[in-house]
């Protein structure tokens, strides 16, 4: 008989004692449970003790979270949160440096727990931390532990960032602005300021005034990757919190300081691999920079401001608005030879074969705005940026100059007339998107590749794709596809499970900011248990033994995605970030239907994980990636199978089976022999 669902079998440890194996009744008050445990070990004052998980984050067990205890959990009897908070509070006030250091170190660790954090804050513990920082008598290890503890305590949102004193903020700013300062202290100080910036306009103004862009650029040029990352995080936080005019001024100043070239040389092309967090910040910096064109893109020309009515009529459409006019002007001024060649070439053609410069420029500007997502809000999770963006000032304008010449080149190759205008621009869009998908590292490389992808190459690619599609639509081929599908689907299932066994690094995301806390999840090699746990920055593939939290696959009940997930419903704001919704999924497990919530780092990882979890649940894989992989595998397998009949047309119906011959009477009848 299985135990009742309100009873869980657990082990309780204590240093120097034999562990207790008990059946925990979830309906029994926690105080009574503690009394029984303490009595078994002959410990007085049960109210001075508490239970916490022995592994992982070692969270304290309370009446509110006790429902999360699962069968087989290992707990530990330890000092209660209020007693521990009191002990550490007194230890921090000690005149003994070793006691003070150890107390602050333990505080930084325990403050991750919400129950302990509440107890410490209730004792006015934050005031103690403020005093350590404001008095400025401590440095090095003590100061680093103090700032770490402060960050963890503030993470629980018990106290508003706006309540921080001016003296405290000035000290934090001074740590960032000092040249001779411990790197760990500067990293923590930058993180604190990053959290302050989006909290209120007052704090944003204060940080922007006290921490100059020049100072952040100095931190970006250090060899310490973590310090570089935190400096970039604060710079991005300032850009996102700024008004449009402030953002424009900041980006102009960054341009004057050649930040793009520095990023291109020292971060993108650094010997060290680019981390996910830095990739996200570079994506945001690219997005913020390109979105500066949004205002001009949405501003249409006033047709009454000039007498030339036709161009004005064309430019009344917004987008691309006046941005198209800006691009035409840039092209004519900065590449006058190319501009003259464009105009002269077309002036010597017949009218119907003339490529219209203004109309082409307007449509091309619109295409580039769509491809580069100008005017769209920044994603909270995206990491895709164009390396060549950081290698060139006036990237958008220079890209336009290359592509408008491509329009003229493609127009000539297609021998187009005015009626072919839309067709030409469709080919140009395809040329640009296919080339951008190769992620060229410079505009020169982009120019070389996009010009090599001429109209005849586009036709060849289209022809290949069309022939492939026609081949795969023949009735016998379709039947062969259906016969191959089960085997290939099983191959995809095995690949998905192998990917889950390798595991993935996930980030914890709150509504307030993109957090730098990481956790890792992976499937056991026997496909029976999901292991997960928190990890530190820089850990790529932690051993499965270090992931202390577990979910048996047998306990998994369902997979939720997108808006169905509890962590997307919990958001207080009505505006839900589209990217987070597209990457969110949750596992419902155990009889109590707990949820383990995920936000995948990319859409690719989302597809792999949701497919793999569906396989574990015995359900069909449903992601778009599964269909893509299946199509690729089917295509490869079909080509291999059909090699022997290449250039032979396959009939839609099988040839008729011939009639049996008239002398088909030579078969021996075994039935007579059996008689």
């Amino acid at each position: 008989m299985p135990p009742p669902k309100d009873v869980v079998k657990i082990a309780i440890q204590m240093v120097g004692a034999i562990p207790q194996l008990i059946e925990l009744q979830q309906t029994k008050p926690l105080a009574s449970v503690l009394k029984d445990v303490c009595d078994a070990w002959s410990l007085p004052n049960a109210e001075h003790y508490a239970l916490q998980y022995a592994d992982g984050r070692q969270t304290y067990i309370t009446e509110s979270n006790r429902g999360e205890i699962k069968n087989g959990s290992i707990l530990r009897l330890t000092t209660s949160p209020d007693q521990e908070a009191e002990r550490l509070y007194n230890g921090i006030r000690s005149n003994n440096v070793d006691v003070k250091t150890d107390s602050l170190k333990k505080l930084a660790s325990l403050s991750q727990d919400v129950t302990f954090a509440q107890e410490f804050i209730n004792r006015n513990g934050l005031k103690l931390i403020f005093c350590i920082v404001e008095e400025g008598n401590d440095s090095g290890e003590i100061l680093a532990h103090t700032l770490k503890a402060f960050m963890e305590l503030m993470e629980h949102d018990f106290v508003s960032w706006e309540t921080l004193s001016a003296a405290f903020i000035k000290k934090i700013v001074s740590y960032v602005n000092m040249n001779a300062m411990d790197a760990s202290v500067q990293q923590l100080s930058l993180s604190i300021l990053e959290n302050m910036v989006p909290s209120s306009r007052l704090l944003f103004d204060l940080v922007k005034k006290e921490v100059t862009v020049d100072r952040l650029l100095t931190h970006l040029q250090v060899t310490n990757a973590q310090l570089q990352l935190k400096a970039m995080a604060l710079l991005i936080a300032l850009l996102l919190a700024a008004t449009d005019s402030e953002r424009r001024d900041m980006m102009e100043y960054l341009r004057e300081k050649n930040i793009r070239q520095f990023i291109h040389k020292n971060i993108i092309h650094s010997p060290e691999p680019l981390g996910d967090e830095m990739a996200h910040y570079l994506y945001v910096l690219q997005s913020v920079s390109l979105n500066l064109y949004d205002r001009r893109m949405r501003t249409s020309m006033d047709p009454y401001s000039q007498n030339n009515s036709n161009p004005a009529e064309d430019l009344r459409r917004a987008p691309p608005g006046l941005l198209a006019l800006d691009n035409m002007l840039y092209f004519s001024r900065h590449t006058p030879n190319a501009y003259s060649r464009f105009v002269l070439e077309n002036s010597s053609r017949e009218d119907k074969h003339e490529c219209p410069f203004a109309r082409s420029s307007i449509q091309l500007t619109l295409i580039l705005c769509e491809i580069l997502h100008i005017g769209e809000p920044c994603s909270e999770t995206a990491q895709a940026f164009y390396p060549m963006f950081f290698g060139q000032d006036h990237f958008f304008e220079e890209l336009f100059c290359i592509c408008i010449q491509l329009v003229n080149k493609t127009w000539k190759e297609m021998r187009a007339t005015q009626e072919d205008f839309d067709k030409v621009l469709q080919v140009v869009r395809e040329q640009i998107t296919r080339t951008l998908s190769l992620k060229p590292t410079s505009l020169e490389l982009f120019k070389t590749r996009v010009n090599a992808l001429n109209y005849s190459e586009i036709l060849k690619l289209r022809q290949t794709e069309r022939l492939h599609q026609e081949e795969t639509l023949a009735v016998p081929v379709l039947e062969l596809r259906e016969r191959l599908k089960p085997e290939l689907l099983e191959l995809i299932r095995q690949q998905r499970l192998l990917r889950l066994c390798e595991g993935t690094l996930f980030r914890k995301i709150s509504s307030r900011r993109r957090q730098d806390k990481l956790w890792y999840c992976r499937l056991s090699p026997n496909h029976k248990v999901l292991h997960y746990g928190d990890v530190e920055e820089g850990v790529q593939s932690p051993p499965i033994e270090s992931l202390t939290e577990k979910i048996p696959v047998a306990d998994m009940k369902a997979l939720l995605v997108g808006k169905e997930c509890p962590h997307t419903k919990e958001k207080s704001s009505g505006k839900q970030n589209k990217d987070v919704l597209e990457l969110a999924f949750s596992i419902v497990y155990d009889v109590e239907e707990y949820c383990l919530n995920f936000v995948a780092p990319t859409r690719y990882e989302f597809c792999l994980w949701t497919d793999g979890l569906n396989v574990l649940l015995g359900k069909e894989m449903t992601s778009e990636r599964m269909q893509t992989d299946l199509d690729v595998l089917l295509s490869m397998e079909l080509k291999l199978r059909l090699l022997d009949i290449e250039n032979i047309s396959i009939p839609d119906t099988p040839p008729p089976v011939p009639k049996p011959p008239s002398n088909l009477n030579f078969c021996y009848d075994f039935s007579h022999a059996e008689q």
Side-chain angles (χ1 to χ4, degrees), residues 452-500:
L453 191 61
N454 54 35
Y455 180 55
S456 61
E457 288 297 319
I458 291 290
L459 286 180
K460 287 178 185 176
L461 290 169
R462 288 179 174 179
Q463 177 81 357
T464 303
E465 291 165 0
R466 185 166 57 251
L467 285 173
H468 169 65
Q469 188 175 14
E470 288 173 357
E471 283 177 6
T472 57
L473 290 178
V475 174
V477 176
L478 290 175
E479 291 177 358
L480 180 57
R481 278 174 64 96
E482 291 304 313
R483 292 181 61 182
L484 292 172
K485 264 187 184 180
E487 179 185 345
L488 297 178
L489 280 171
E490 182 57 31
L491 187 65
I492 294 173
R493 290 189 193 98
Q494 294 304 317
Q495 186 270 339
R496 297 300 196 254
L497 293 177
L498 283 172
R499 186 66 187 83
L500 263 61

Side-chain angles (χ1 to χ4, degrees), residues 287-461:
S287 181
V288 167
S289 180
L290 289 173
N291 278 343
L292 295 178
Y293 294 101
D294 183 58
R295 186 175 62 182
R296 295 289 286 176
M297 182 185 76
R298 300 189 187 281
T299 304
S300 59
M301 175 177 279
D302 180 2
Y304 302 105
S305 64
Q306 296 181 16
N307 295 323
N308 51 345
S309 58
N310 285 339
E313 284 295 324
D314 290 338
L315 292 165
R316 286 181 70 183
R317 185 163 54 123
L322 293 177
L323 185 56
L325 186 62
D326 295 341
N327 281 339
M328 287 186 269
L329 192 61
Y330 185 93
F331 179 52
S332 64
R333 287 180 174 174
H334 290 80
T335 54
N337 292 336
Y339 171 71
S340 300
R341 188 163 53 250
F342 190 112
V343 173
L344 291 172
E345 274 186 14
N346 285 285
S347 64
S348 60
R349 294 177 190 161
E350 293 180 40
D351 288 347
K352 67 176 184 177
H353 287 289
E354 181 182 345
C355 178
F357 174 68
R359 187 181 174 197
S360 299
S361 298
I362 292 168
Q363 191 60 30
L364 176 61
T365 301
L366 180 61
I367 289 172
L368 292 177
C369 288
E370 290 172 353
I371 291 174
L372 298 174
H373 306 289
I374 293 176
E376 296 181 17
C378 294
S379 161
E380 291 182 15
T381 57
Q383 301 167 7
F385 65 92
Y386 297 111
M388 66 178 180
F389 169 82
F390 294 96
Q392 178 74 50
D393 275 338
H394 305 291
F395 167 79
F396 185 73
E397 293 86 349
E398 292 290 336
L399 183 63
F400 173 85
C401 291
I402 293 170
C403 294
I404 193 63
Q405 295 174 74
L406 177 69
V407 171
N408 191 39
K409 175 174 173 287
T410 304
W411 186 280
K412 287 188 293 183
E413 291 168 353
M414 294 177 67
R415 302 178 187 226
T417 62
Q418 296 291 333
E419 289 77 16
D420 300 320
F421 179 83
D422 290 338
K423 190 187 298 184
V424 173
L425 269 295
Q426 285 175 3
V427 172
V428 170
R429 178 191 283 269
E430 190 174 342
Q431 290 170 316
I432 295 170
T433 51
R434 285 182 184 271
T435 306
L436 285 176
S437 67
L438 301 174
K439 291 292 179 83
T441 54
S442 69
L443 271 176
E444 281 301 316
L445 188 55
F446 170 84
K447 182 177 180 179
T448 302
R449 288 181 173 177
V450 81
N451 284 316
L453 191 61
N454 54 35
Y455 180 55
S456 61
E457 288 297 319
I458 291 290
L459 286 180
K460 287 178 185 176
L461 290 169

Side-chain angles (χ1 to χ4, degrees), residues 600-616:
T602 62
R603 186 67 186 177
Y604 175 73
E605 290 289 346
F606 172 88
C607 292
L608 295 186
W609 271 85
T610 52
D611 281 347
L613 293 171
N614 274 324
V615 171
L616 293 174

Side-chain angles (χ1 to χ4, degrees), residues 65-76:
N65 67 14
R66 64 183 296 179
E68 298 174 13
I69 301 174
K70 301 185 287 288
N71 278 313
S73 294
I74 301 175
L75 306 183
R76 179 172 59 205

